Amino acid sequence: MAVGSKTWWGRRFLRSLENLMDPGRLSRGRSYRLPHRRKKFEIRKGTVTATMVGNINPYFEVYETPYYRVKIEFERIPATRWTAIVKRLGTNADWVTHLILGEVPPTIEEALKDSPVKLLPRSRKDIKSSCSCPDWANPCKHVAGLYYHVASLLDRDPLLLFEFRGIDRSTLMKGLSKSEFGRALSARAGNIHPKLGPSLDEPRYSPVEEHEPDMPTDDLRAFWRGTPLPREEGDATDDALIPALLLRREGDYPEFWHRENSFLDAMEGIYGRVAKRLAKLP
């Protein structure tokens, strides 16, 4: 059973690694997913590169901390095929809704049925990896550790899967917005696209994404004081096209949420209890 990921697509992503590795290296690779094992980390043009921190081991005459260059590349789908795939995605309301909300539809592979490459890795030919360590096996434990880290990123940023396969997320979103349901959803909910970030040619998560800058005190004060949200005429009576749209936009495991349970499930329980108490008020 794949571990180290919370979403179904993250677990499927890791399952492909399990099929490529021997259990011993896979087990040791889990410890290399921790932040202190990555000195540098970057995703550019769908290729993952990192400098991994090895172990001092006098038995093998390693007396100083070693650093290894690790790279993971994914087989890319040609741009001409992506045009047809995005067009097909736009014909299915469920696919469009999930993707615009930053989620991976459970039936996503049906949209790629005519493509020789699927979205989620399935075999050794889907992934090319390399490491400068002396281990003869590929993938080694350092590759495994980097793969585990990428799987954790996919939990909160699943559109990376599309970047790995060769399509810029902004191109994907623009294509979906041109569909009939994409236009309706965007018009009803405003600009709800996932954070587009840089293009495929620019680095993502560089050099190390774990250390986020502290929020300024003024911003914290403004957050807790809050400001009223603008209301449009008819807001109180119109049914929401997608319930809890803004919450769902951040997904089950947003960056600030470090618990194992789903953020959306937790919020649903809280709002349910609040609604019951409000109903009892005179």
Side-chain angles (χ1 to χ4, degrees):
M1 177 65 67
V3 298
S5 189
K6 302 171 183 177
T7 58
W8 74 264
W9 54 84
R11 289 191 293 271
R12 280 273 301 275
F13 185 81
L14 285 179
R15 195 172 300 145
S16 64
L17 178 67
E18 293 180 334
N19 294 332
L20 297 177
M21 293 193 68
D22 69 89
R25 286 183 175 84
L26 184 67
S27 177
R28 292 192 295 273
R30 292 187 182 118
S31 66
Y32 278 84
R33 73 182 189 272
L34 301 175
H36 72 276
R37 288 293 191 176
R38 293 183 300 279
K39 185 175 178 64
K40 293 182 180 179
F41 177 81
E42 180 178 285
I43 299 176
R44 187 193 292 266
K45 292 186 177 181
T47 298
V48 184
T49 57
T51 299
M52 306 294 285
V53 181
N55 293 322
I56 295 175
N57 192 334
Y59 181 82
F60 291 104
E61 299 184 350
V62 179
Y63 302 103
E64 296 182 359
T65 301
Y67 298 94
Y68 303 115
R69 296 182 301 278
V70 183
K71 179 191 288 188
I72 300 175
E73 297 178 272
F74 300 86
E75 186 174 1
R76 298 161 73 84
I77 299 174
T80 52
R81 286 190 177 272
W82 268 122
T83 301
I85 292 171
V86 173
K87 186 175 181 180
R88 176 170 168 77
L89 285 169
T91 64
N92 185 299
D94 183 63
W95 291 341
V96 174
T97 303
H98 276 83
L99 291 171
I100 286 183
L101 291 174
E103 302 172 353
V104 180
T107 57
I108 185 65
E109 299 293 17
E110 292 181 16
L112 283 74
K113 65 178 183 179
D114 297 326
S115 173
V117 179
K118 303 305 180 185
L119 189 64
L120 290 157
R122 292 190 172 191
S123 66
R124 185 178 295 274
K125 70 176 184 179
D126 285 337
I127 311 165
K128 295 180 181 178
S129 60
S130 63
C131 180
S132 62
C133 77
D135 192 349
W136 57 268
N138 187 7
C140 65
K141 61 185 179 182
H142 307 107
V143 171
L146 187 58
Y147 207 82
Y148 275 114
H149 177 54
V150 171
S152 70
L153 293 179
L154 288 173
D155 282 338
R156 63 177 186 260
D157 189 7
L159 294 188
L160 277 174
L161 281 171
F162 291 86
E163 292 189 15
F164 292 153
R165 293 308 195 184
I167 184 171
D168 188 289
R169 63 182 63 205
S170 62
T171 302
L172 174 65
M173 289 297 116
K174 288 176 182 177
L176 295 175
S177 296
K178 293 178 181 178
S179 66
E180 181 178 356
F181 191 79
R183 288 195 303 269
L185 183 60
S186 297
R188 182 67 177 83
N191 182 19
I192 60 170
H193 291 172
K195 299 175 184 178
L196 298 182
S199 69
L200 285 177
D201 292 330
E202 300 175 77
R204 296 174 59 77
Y205 303 102
S206 174
V208 178
E209 94 299 331
E210 286 86 0
H211 304 291
E212 299 290 342
D214 294 332
M215 182 180 289
T217 305
D218 291 342
D219 289 347
L220 287 171
R221 189 178 296 110
F223 172 80
W224 288 113
R225 287 178 178 174
T227 56
L229 293 175
R231 298 190 60 174
E232 298 180 1
E233 187 175 349
D235 278 354
T237 57
D238 290 348
D239 292 333
L241 184 63
I242 300 176
L245 180 63
L246 293 179
L247 288 178
R248 288 194 60 188
R249 164 61 191 83
E250 293 300 324
D252 284 287
Y253 300 97
E255 292 188 47
F256 62 83
W257 188 255
H258 302 294
R259 301 191 178 198
E260 292 298 321
N261 61 315
S262 163
F263 170 69
L264 293 180
D265 289 345
M267 291 300 100
E268 183 177 358
I270 291 173
Y271 282 118
R273 291 192 292 273
V274 171
K276 288 181 180 179
R277 291 192 177 186
L278 290 175
K280 295 179 181 180
L281 295 178

